Amino acid sequence: MRGTIADMQEPAITPELVAAHGLKPDEYDRILEIIGREPTFTELGIFSAMWNEHCSYKSSKKWLRTLPTEGPQVICGPGENAGVVDIGDGQAVVFKMESHNHPSYIEPYQGAATGVGGILRDVFTMGARPVAAMNALSFGEVGHPKTRSLVHGVVEGIGGYGNCFGVPTVAGEIRFHPAYNGNCLVNAFAAGIADADAIFYSAASGVGMPVVYLGAKTGRDGVGGATMASAEFDETIEEKRPTVQVGDPFTEKRLLEACLELMASGAVISIQDMGAAGLTCSAVEMGDKGNLGIRLELDRVPVREAAMTAYEMMLSESQERMLMVLRPEKEAEAKAIFDKWDLDFAIVGETIAEDRFLILHHNETKADLPLSKLASSAPEYDRPWTATEPVAEMEPVPGIDPIDGLKALLASPNYAAKNWVTDQYDSMVMADTLRGPGLGAGVVRVHGTDKSLAFTSDVTPRYVKANPLEGGRQAVAEAWRNLVATGALPLAATDNLNFGNPEKPEIMGQFVGAIKGIGEACRALDMPIVSGNVSLYNETDGQAILPTPTIGAVGLIESPEKMIGGTAQSGMMLLLVGETQGHLGCSALLWEVFGRSDGDAPPVDLEAEKRNGTFIRDNAQYIAACSDISDGGLALAAFEMAAAAGVGLRVENDDSAFLFGEDQARYIVACGYDAAEWLMIEAGKASVPVATVGQFGGDTLRFGRSEAPLGELVDLWRGTFAGTFG
């Protein structure tokens, strides 16, 4: 071994320093037991990076293992950079969703931008060209002093990075609630297309193989970012600003092209994105998955700042970087590719047979650790949890004029049109977008084929807070319905599980309940979880966010004629598919009109979800337009369908529970009279409840005897968000 484990300039390891690295005393004792001595400062940083919540999933592993992750369509499930699902014809869709919550609250533009950059790298490191992006955003109440600047910064960061990189943003969601005042959520999704027999994985193989650094230079930005993301916020939040990474989408675009060209050359044995914990996590994961050790020479790492220490280089989360194990005979060819794209290419180490993570800098050994212990021996906790108490019986909901109720929803940034946001995103780049944001699931054509892919992101946090089990089921069911409403066959999902402090039994109980509900729904609907992310400690001064387990889902539309992508026309009938009980507990009407969040989440009948959704897909050719019914009930869904068509609608029923109830497993369908008759006949055969509830025509929206000009309602809907944040 070269050098000695010593550096007189490194700080002494004290209990305070250990705590500042997010390690508890018993975890530090475990480190001492593993290595048989006191760690160096760099080694402490490495353990901190690998054992924090963000990287090790130490509070969630036990429950994540219960999720369904396999199916005939699944090529690669959780454990790699992204999930891989077969879409036929030798092609696969590669996708994942991941959080960048804490960085986005500290530094909204760069936090959100680098969230987009990181998730794109997760996709193209698997060998896939990105074709679609989504985002799911949660902010505090509109009047909170920070909300406006957070919204502007996050939206501009997402648009700035995604637009420059050149990937269409095709769907997503955005919500506002006081529970997010001190901790916004930024969940980023990306999907790409790859040849099913040309997927690249991260497991290193072969002893003495070159370990190669690719992409941008390493700086001090993002040092300790993963540890910061694994802790609550308090009054020291401003001190965390340097832990936020800085992104460069133009460099990422060059990195994408260089990596895909490199992969085509046959030079790559394994490849890993440098994301959370940077060089540390990428090297450890590659070595651990291949049962190999890694030796790194930090003097060879390309840096953009002077006098960087080993600690800084190992923990930097500078963006647009990859780590690769290279076929030695391909070195010259690989370097030429990266030289052409004006990106760094440096052999910084090699794979070794011993179980060691050996870090050398300035001819000194800065770290010498058993590599497998960094990953496999990370703490794993079975946190105590308490089930969420059943909600009390809710008070009656006062009656309301249905148009007044609808106006209250349209005047809320939660349910108003999001044009102000989506207009800042390029949804048409690459020219394959068939349906962009604002219309339910986004749809993107698989270039050069008749196939299309549908994408959606869904969760209703107020349901999860009231009833984690039903809320978890509902998030999956709504995602499934949004895909079905385009005519797509749902394939698989990714999850982004955002919760508060798991050391509090009531928060851990929310997590456990939601996981159980998600698992049940994914099994029942044949939509396995193939990738995902857990984001815990989303609290500020002890105040937790609403539990927000976001579900991103992907579906396949096999041919153009199977897509439901039209609009309603004057004279068409409005059909309601599914059973209506008028459930107003935890409803949008209750919160936006009456300021109440009482009552239970709506029950989710998974058999009915599958039966009703299958009916929609089987009869897609008779349906002009379709939407699932979720927040805001039939009233909001019907208004949005009329607004998209620019044609009025008459619904005879004016009962608040009927119009605004949020019963699940329901859709509205626009179709001609003859098609409506056919659908009624087929519904009878399939035991699916279907009823005619209205007809399109004229220029007003009418519920019973209450009506308003459609144009007036549309102006309110489209003007609210820009009026609030523009």
Side-chain angles (χ1 to χ4, degrees):
M1 180 178 76
R2 286 170 46 190
T4 58
I5 299 186
D7 187 336
M8 298 305 293
Q9 296 179 353
E10 290 188 350
I13 307 301
T14 64
E16 292 75 20
L17 188 64
V18 170
H21 280 75
L23 292 163
K24 292 187 165 46
D26 60 322
E27 293 175 338
Y28 183 67
D29 289 342
R30 191 168 181 171
I31 291 170
L32 296 179
E33 184 181 326
I34 287 171
I35 64 176
R37 56 176 169 78
E38 186 177 88
T40 67
F41 182 52
T42 300
E43 289 174 333
L44 181 68
I46 288 170
F47 271 107
S48 167
M50 292 305 301
W51 284 15
N52 66 60
E53 195 74 58
H54 191 77
C55 292
S56 74
Y57 296 91
K58 58 191 176 185
S59 296
S60 56
K61 274 182 185 176
K62 169 185 167 70
W63 297 102
L64 295 178
R65 292 191 189 101
T66 69
L67 292 171
T69 59
E70 298 178 343
Q73 72 275 41
V74 178
I75 295 173
C76 175
E80 279 292 339
N81 289 288
V84 185
V85 175
D86 192 350
I87 58 171
D89 305 313
Q91 292 180 304
V93 59
V94 179
F95 63 95
K96 188 182 182 184
M97 181 172 259
E98 194 159 82
S99 61
H100 231 222
N101 303 334
H102 283 41
S104 298
Y105 189 79
I106 297 168
E107 187 66 64
Y109 184 95
Q110 290 296 349
T114 52
V116 174
I119 201 66
L120 288 168
R121 285 195 305 281
D122 280 338
V123 166
F124 71 75
T125 193
M126 303 287 291
R129 180 174 291 278
V131 297
M134 297 191 292
N135 52 79
L137 313 176
S138 302
F139 297 103
E141 57 194 324
V142 172
H144 189 270
K146 282 205 67 139
T147 298
R148 183 181 175 85
S149 62
L150 285 170
V151 170
H152 275 262
V154 166
V155 170
E156 289 166 13
I158 290 169
Y161 204 101
N163 296 353
C164 293
F165 178 85
V167 62
T169 298
V170 299
E173 54 183 343
I174 182 168
R175 68 181 56 85
F176 299 87
H177 191 280
Y180 304 102
N181 280 347
N183 199 127
C184 65
L185 302 183
V186 175
N187 294 173
F189 170 100
I193 303 295
D195 290 337
D197 61 355
I199 305 299
F200 286 82
Y201 299 99
S202 57
S205 65
V207 175
M209 296 294 116
V211 175
V212 184
Y213 174 112
L214 307 168
K217 288 179 168 57
T218 294
R220 291 188 171 93
D221 58 313
V223 172
T227 301
M228 175 273 293
S230 303
E232 293 181 40
F233 282 151
D234 54 27
E235 69 279 357
T236 65
I237 185 170
E238 284 303 313
E239 299 171 15
K240 297 174 168 52
R241 195 169 297 276
T243 64
V244 179
Q245 311 91 333
V246 178
D248 179 355
F250 297 107
T251 298
E252 179 119 333
K253 176 65 173 175
R254 287 184 287 124
L255 183 62
L256 161 72
E257 300 299 343
C259 284
L260 293 183
E261 189 174 338
L262 183 71
M263 290 164 174
S265 75
V268 178
I269 294 175
S270 64
I271 190 164
Q272 174 76 32
D273 159 44
M274 279 196 235
L279 190 55
T280 290
C281 194
S282 56
V284 169
E285 287 191 4
M286 290 175 79
D288 185 58
K289 289 175 183 175
N291 295 312
L292 292 167
I294 300 281
R295 182 178 63 81
L296 295 178
E297 299 258 11
L298 297 189
D299 299 296
R300 300 177 181 177
V301 171
V303 294
R304 65 169 184 259
E305 298 183 48
M308 288 191 70
T309 65
Y311 178 96
E312 291 170 328
M313 279 191 268
M314 292 307 297
L315 298 188
S316 167
E317 294 182 11
S318 294
Q319 297 291 284
E320 293 85 44
R321 301 180 303 157
M322 306 286 245
L323 199 65
M324 172 183 69
V325 176
L326 171 74
R327 298 190 189 282
E329 69 275 13
K330 293 278 190 176
E331 179 186 339
E333 184 179 354
K335 186 177 187 309
I337 291 170
F338 272 72
D339 287 347
K340 181 182 78 173
W341 288 101
D342 194 23
L343 291 165
D344 279 294
F345 177 100
I347 295 176
V348 296
E350 65 176 354
T351 59
I352 57 178
E354 301 93 338
D355 179 21
R356 293 170 72 188
F357 192 39
L358 186 57
I359 310 300
L360 306 170
H361 191 217
H362 298 332
N363 205 34
E364 288 185 344
T365 301
K366 296 297 186 179
D368 189 357
L369 300 169
L371 186 145
S372 63
K373 299 294 185 184
L374 289 167
S376 61
S377 291
E380 183 175 332
Y381 297 118
D382 185 2
R383 301 275 190 201
W385 60 277
T386 57
T388 300
E389 290 289 326
V391 298
E393 191 169 327
M394 67 182 290
E395 295 292 320
V397 180
I400 186 171
D401 178 277
I403 292 296
D404 290 344
L406 178 64
K407 285 181 176 178
L409 298 184
L410 303 184
S412 164
N414 279 311
Y415 303 109
K418 307 301 191 295
N419 307 62
W420 182 86
V421 174
T422 57
D423 286 351
Q424 296 184 56
Y425 304 152
D426 189 339
S427 61
M428 301 307 294
V429 64
M430 300 173 73
D432 281 318
T433 303
L434 300 179
R435 187 156 88 166
L439 296 168
V443 180
V444 173
R445 179 173 44 234
V446 179
H447 196 79
T449 76
D450 285 337
K451 301 191 296 266
S452 299
L453 292 169
F455 303 98
T456 188
S457 164
D458 298 285
V459 66
T460 309
R462 62 181 184 275
Y463 293 170
V464 188
K465 177 75 181 295
N467 189 327
L469 183 71
E470 292 292 1
R473 286 177 182 146
Q474 193 276 339
V476 174
E478 186 177 346
W480 198 81
R481 289 197 305 270
N482 271 319
L483 297 177
V484 165
T486 70
L489 171 67
L491 291 177
T494 180
D495 57 15
N496 203 149
L497 308 173
N498 308 273
F499 290 81
N501 184 345
E503 296 169 51
K504 297 179 179 178
E506 67 275 16
I507 298 294
M508 196 64 205
Q510 293 174 352
F511 183 86
V512 171
I515 284 280
K516 288 181 177 179
I518 290 167
E520 288 178 12
C522 286
R523 273 184 283 271
L525 299 174
D526 299 322
M527 195 166 75
I529 300 286
V530 297
S531 59
N533 171 247
V534 178
S535 176
L536 302 177
Y537 296 96
N538 288 292
E539 296 199 8
T540 298
D541 295 328
Q543 296 299 307
I545 60 163
L546 292 179
T548 311
T550 309
I551 300 295
V554 178
L556 175 65
I557 304 171
E558 293 175 344
S559 60
E561 60 270 15
K562 293 192 175 181
M563 179 176 169
I564 304 173
T567 56
Q569 304 293 322
S570 183
M572 283 187 174
M573 314 305 294
L574 181 71
L575 304 187
L576 171 61
V577 177
E579 187 175 356
T580 299
Q581 298 287 340
H583 185 97
L584 288 173
C586 295
S587 65
L589 180 79
L590 202 63
W591 175 252
E592 299 293 350
V593 176
F594 302 106
R596 291 168 49 185
S597 56
D598 53 315
D600 202 353
V604 179
D605 182 337
L606 293 168
E607 288 185 10
E609 291 284 1
K610 189 157 192 182
R611 181 174 61 246
N612 297 355
T614 300
F615 169 77
I616 294 290
R617 287 192 61 250
D618 287 348
N619 294 281
Q621 67 268 38
Y622 303 107
I623 298 173
C626 181
S627 171
D628 94 302
I629 297 177
S630 53
D631 280 26
L634 184 146
L636 186 59
F639 162 77
E640 290 178 348
M641 187 174 281
V647 62
L649 171 65
R650 182 180 72 254
V651 175
E652 296 302 340
N653 198 321
D654 64 358
D655 178 68
S656 292
F658 175 79
L659 291 170
F660 295 99
E662 297 181 5
D663 306 278
Q664 300 297 293
R666 296 188 303 155
Y667 303 79
I668 53 170
V669 165
C671 61
Y673 185 83
D674 291 343
E677 282 196 329
W678 176 262
L679 288 170
M680 294 284 194
I681 294 169
E682 293 302 304
K685 296 177 185 175
S687 299
V688 172
V690 175
T692 303
V693 294
Q695 187 170 17
F696 291 91
D699 57 5
T700 65
L701 184 68
R702 179 174 157 187
F703 296 130
R705 296 180 180 178
S706 180
E707 67 178 326
L710 180 64
E712 175 188 309
L713 297 173
V714 169
D715 288 345
L716 173 63
W717 181 57
R718 290 190 175 150
T720 290
F721 210 98
T724 304
F725 295 105

